[in-house]
mmCIF file with all atom_site columns, all heavy atoms in Angstrom:
data_model
loop_
_atom_site.group_PDB
_atom_site.id
_atom_site.type_symbol
_atom_site.label_atom_id
_atom_site.label_alt_id
_atom_site.label_comp_id
_atom_site.label_asym_id
_atom_site.label_entity_id
_atom_site.label_seq_id
_atom_site.pdbx_PDB_ins_code
_atom_site.Cartn_x
_atom_site.Cartn_y
_atom_site.Cartn_z
_atom_site.occupancy
_atom_site.B_iso_or_equiv
_atom_site.pdbx_formal_charge
_atom_site.auth_seq_id
_atom_site.auth_comp_id
_atom_site.auth_asym_id
_atom_site.auth_atom_id
_atom_site.pdbx_PDB_model_num
ATOM 1  N N   . VAL Q 1 88 ? 96.595  -93.959  122.245 1.00 0.00 ? 88 VAL Q N   1
ATOM 2  C CA  . VAL Q 1 88 ? 97.447  -94.090  121.104 1.00 0.00 ? 88 VAL Q CA  1
ATOM 3  C C   . VAL Q 1 88 ? 96.537  -94.181  119.877 1.00 0.00 ? 88 VAL Q C   1
ATOM 4  O O   . VAL Q 1 88 ? 95.541  -94.750  119.724 1.00 0.00 ? 88 VAL Q O   1
ATOM 5  C CB  . VAL Q 1 88 ? 98.241  -95.367  121.090 1.00 0.00 ? 88 VAL Q CB  1
ATOM 6  C CG1 . VAL Q 1 88 ? 99.026  -95.604  119.776 1.00 0.00 ? 88 VAL Q CG1 1
ATOM 7  C CG2 . VAL Q 1 88 ? 99.118  -95.515  122.293 1.00 0.00 ? 88 VAL Q CG2 1
ATOM 8  N N   . ARG Q 1 89 ? 96.837  -93.280  118.787 1.00 0.00 ? 89 ARG Q N   1
ATOM 9  C CA  . ARG Q 1 89 ? 96.283  -93.379  117.552 1.00 0.00 ? 89 ARG Q CA  1
ATOM 10 C C   . ARG Q 1 89 ? 97.214  -93.781  116.615 1.00 0.00 ? 89 ARG Q C   1
ATOM 11 O O   . ARG Q 1 89 ? 98.305  -93.191  116.284 1.00 0.00 ? 89 ARG Q O   1
ATOM 12 C CB  . ARG Q 1 89 ? 95.817  -91.918  117.106 1.00 0.00 ? 89 ARG Q CB  1
ATOM 13 C CG  . ARG Q 1 89 ? 95.190  -92.012  115.682 1.00 0.00 ? 89 ARG Q CG  1
ATOM 14 C CD  . ARG Q 1 89 ? 94.490  -90.563  115.255 1.00 0.00 ? 89 ARG Q CD  1
ATOM 15 N NE  . ARG Q 1 89 ? 95.466  -89.683  115.232 1.00 0.00 ? 89 ARG Q NE  1
ATOM 16 C CZ  . ARG Q 1 89 ? 95.327  -88.350  115.710 1.00 0.00 ? 89 ARG Q CZ  1
ATOM 17 N NH1 . ARG Q 1 89 ? 94.235  -88.002  116.382 1.00 0.00 ? 89 ARG Q NH1 1
ATOM 18 N NH2 . ARG Q 1 89 ? 96.384  -87.530  115.653 1.00 0.00 ? 89 ARG Q NH2 1
ATOM 19 N N   . TRP Q 1 90 ? 97.051  -95.032  115.982 1.00 0.00 ? 90 TRP Q N   1
ATOM 20 C CA  . TRP Q 1 90 ? 97.876  -95.491  114.974 1.00 0.00 ? 90 TRP Q CA  1
ATOM 21 C C   . TRP Q 1 90 ? 97.351  -95.140  113.548 1.00 0.00 ? 90 TRP Q C   1
ATOM 22 O O   . TRP Q 1 90 ? 96.157  -95.031  113.345 1.00 0.00 ? 90 TRP Q O   1
ATOM 23 C CB  . TRP Q 1 90 ? 98.104  -96.985  115.095 1.00 0.00 ? 90 TRP Q CB  1
ATOM 24 C CG  . TRP Q 1 90 ? 96.843  -97.904  115.059 1.00 0.00 ? 90 TRP Q CG  1
ATOM 25 C CD1 . TRP Q 1 90 ? 96.151  -98.346  116.099 1.00 0.00 ? 90 TRP Q CD1 1
ATOM 26 C CD2 . TRP Q 1 90 ? 96.007  -98.432  113.896 1.00 0.00 ? 90 TRP Q CD2 1
ATOM 27 N NE1 . TRP Q 1 90 ? 95.099  -99.167  115.772 1.00 0.00 ? 90 TRP Q NE1 1
ATOM 28 C CE2 . TRP Q 1 90 ? 95.012  -99.156  114.367 1.00 0.00 ? 90 TRP Q CE2 1
ATOM 29 C CE3 . TRP Q 1 90 ? 96.232  -98.143  112.592 1.00 0.00 ? 90 TRP Q CE3 1
ATOM 30 C CZ2 . TRP Q 1 90 ? 94.121  -99.683  113.465 1.00 0.00 ? 90 TRP Q CZ2 1
ATOM 31 C CZ3 . TRP Q 1 90 ? 95.329  -98.674  111.655 1.00 0.00 ? 90 TRP Q CZ3 1
ATOM 32 C CH2 . TRP Q 1 90 ? 94.254  -99.548  112.206 1.00 0.00 ? 90 TRP Q CH2 1
ATOM 33 N N   . SER Q 1 91 ? 98.299  -94.918  112.724 1.00 0.00 ? 91 SER Q N   1
ATOM 34 C CA  . SER Q 1 91 ? 97.881  -94.512  111.353 1.00 0.00 ? 91 SER Q CA  1
ATOM 35 C C   . SER Q 1 91 ? 98.876  -95.161  110.327 1.00 0.00 ? 91 SER Q C   1
ATOM 36 O O   . SER Q 1 91 ? 100.127 -95.103  110.415 1.00 0.00 ? 91 SER Q O   1
ATOM 37 C CB  . SER Q 1 91 ? 98.071  -93.009  111.278 1.00 0.00 ? 91 SER Q CB  1
ATOM 38 O OG  . SER Q 1 91 ? 97.919  -92.532  109.947 1.00 0.00 ? 91 SER Q OG  1
ATOM 39 N N   . VAL Q 1 92 ? 98.206  -95.928  109.410 1.00 0.00 ? 92 VAL Q N   1
ATOM 40 C CA  . VAL Q 1 92 ? 99.042  -96.658  108.479 1.00 0.00 ? 92 VAL Q CA  1
ATOM 41 C C   . VAL Q 1 92 ? 98.426  -96.475  107.047 1.00 0.00 ? 92 VAL Q C   1
ATOM 42 O O   . VAL Q 1 92 ? 97.248  -95.972  106.970 1.00 0.00 ? 92 VAL Q O   1
ATOM 43 C CB  . VAL Q 1 92 ? 99.233  -98.130  108.685 1.00 0.00 ? 92 VAL Q CB  1
ATOM 44 C CG1 . VAL Q 1 92 ? 99.926  -98.442  110.028 1.00 0.00 ? 92 VAL Q CG1 1
ATOM 45 C CG2 . VAL Q 1 92 ? 97.755  -98.708  108.638 1.00 0.00 ? 92 VAL Q CG2 1
ATOM 46 N N   . VAL Q 1 93 ? 99.175  -96.766  106.037 1.00 0.00 ? 93 VAL Q N   1
ATOM 47 C CA  . VAL Q 1 93 ? 98.653  -96.798  104.601 1.00 0.00 ? 93 VAL Q CA  1
ATOM 48 C C   . VAL Q 1 93 ? 98.859  -98.170  104.137 1.00 0.00 ? 93 VAL Q C   1
ATOM 49 O O   . VAL Q 1 93 ? 100.036 -98.619  104.143 1.00 0.00 ? 93 VAL Q O   1
ATOM 50 C CB  . VAL Q 1 93 ? 99.433  -95.720  103.722 1.00 0.00 ? 93 VAL Q CB  1
ATOM 51 C CG1 . VAL Q 1 93 ? 98.790  -95.851  102.267 1.00 0.00 ? 93 VAL Q CG1 1
ATOM 52 C CG2 . VAL Q 1 93 ? 99.209  -94.339  104.288 1.00 0.00 ? 93 VAL Q CG2 1
ATOM 53 N N   . SER Q 1 94 ? 97.802  -98.874  103.698 1.00 0.00 ? 94 SER Q N   1
ATOM 54 C CA  . SER Q 1 94 ? 97.894  -100.261 103.228 1.00 0.00 ? 94 SER Q CA  1
ATOM 55 C C   . SER Q 1 94 ? 98.554  -100.196 101.869 1.00 0.00 ? 94 SER Q C   1
ATOM 56 O O   . SER Q 1 94 ? 98.586  -99.124  101.173 1.00 0.00 ? 94 SER Q O   1
ATOM 57 C CB  . SER Q 1 94 ? 96.509  -100.842 103.241 1.00 0.00 ? 94 SER Q CB  1
ATOM 58 O OG  . SER Q 1 94 ? 95.667  -100.296 102.443 1.00 0.00 ? 94 SER Q OG  1
ATOM 59 N N   . GLN Q 1 95 ? 98.862  -101.331 101.374 1.00 0.00 ? 95 GLN Q N   1
ATOM 60 C CA  . GLN Q 1 95 ? 99.616  -101.539 100.055 1.00 0.00 ? 95 GLN Q CA  1
ATOM 61 C C   . GLN Q 1 95 ? 98.671  -101.152 98.945  1.00 0.00 ? 95 GLN Q C   1
ATOM 62 O O   . GLN Q 1 95 ? 99.206  -100.729 97.833  1.00 0.00 ? 95 GLN Q O   1
ATOM 63 C CB  . GLN Q 1 95 ? 100.056 -102.946 99.937  1.00 0.00 ? 95 GLN Q CB  1
ATOM 64 C CG  . GLN Q 1 95 ? 101.317 -103.293 100.591 1.00 0.00 ? 95 GLN Q CG  1
ATOM 65 C CD  . GLN Q 1 95 ? 102.560 -102.421 100.221 1.00 0.00 ? 95 GLN Q CD  1
ATOM 66 O OE1 . GLN Q 1 95 ? 102.756 -102.215 99.069  1.00 0.00 ? 95 GLN Q OE1 1
ATOM 67 N NE2 . GLN Q 1 95 ? 103.202 -101.787 101.213 1.00 0.00 ? 95 GLN Q NE2 1
ATOM 68 N N   . ASP Q 1 96 ? 97.389  -101.012 99.197  1.00 0.00 ? 96 ASP Q N   1
ATOM 69 C CA  . ASP Q 1 96 ? 96.556  -100.551 97.958  1.00 0.00 ? 96 ASP Q CA  1
ATOM 70 C C   . ASP Q 1 96 ? 96.122  -99.085  98.251  1.00 0.00 ? 96 ASP Q C   1
ATOM 71 O O   . ASP Q 1 96 ? 94.985  -98.739  97.629  1.00 0.00 ? 96 ASP Q O   1
ATOM 72 C CB  . ASP Q 1 96 ? 95.254  -101.508 97.913  1.00 0.00 ? 96 ASP Q CB  1
ATOM 73 C CG  . ASP Q 1 96 ? 94.501  -101.559 99.222  1.00 0.00 ? 96 ASP Q CG  1
ATOM 74 O OD1 . ASP Q 1 96 ? 94.810  -100.842 100.146 1.00 0.00 ? 96 ASP Q OD1 1
ATOM 75 O OD2 . ASP Q 1 96 ? 93.471  -102.254 99.151  1.00 0.00 ? 96 ASP Q OD2 1
ATOM 76 N N   . GLY Q 1 97 ? 96.763  -98.399  99.106  1.00 0.00 ? 97 GLY Q N   1
ATOM 77 C CA  . GLY Q 1 97 ? 96.626  -96.984  99.215  1.00 0.00 ? 97 GLY Q CA  1
ATOM 78 C C   . GLY Q 1 97 ? 95.606  -96.557  100.181 1.00 0.00 ? 97 GLY Q C   1
ATOM 79 O O   . GLY Q 1 97 ? 95.389  -95.264  100.357 1.00 0.00 ? 97 GLY Q O   1
#
Side-chain angles (χ1 to χ4, degrees):
V88 174
R89 178 175 61 223
W90 56 260
S91 170
V92 297
V93 180
S94 62
Q95 283 299 312
D96 60 359

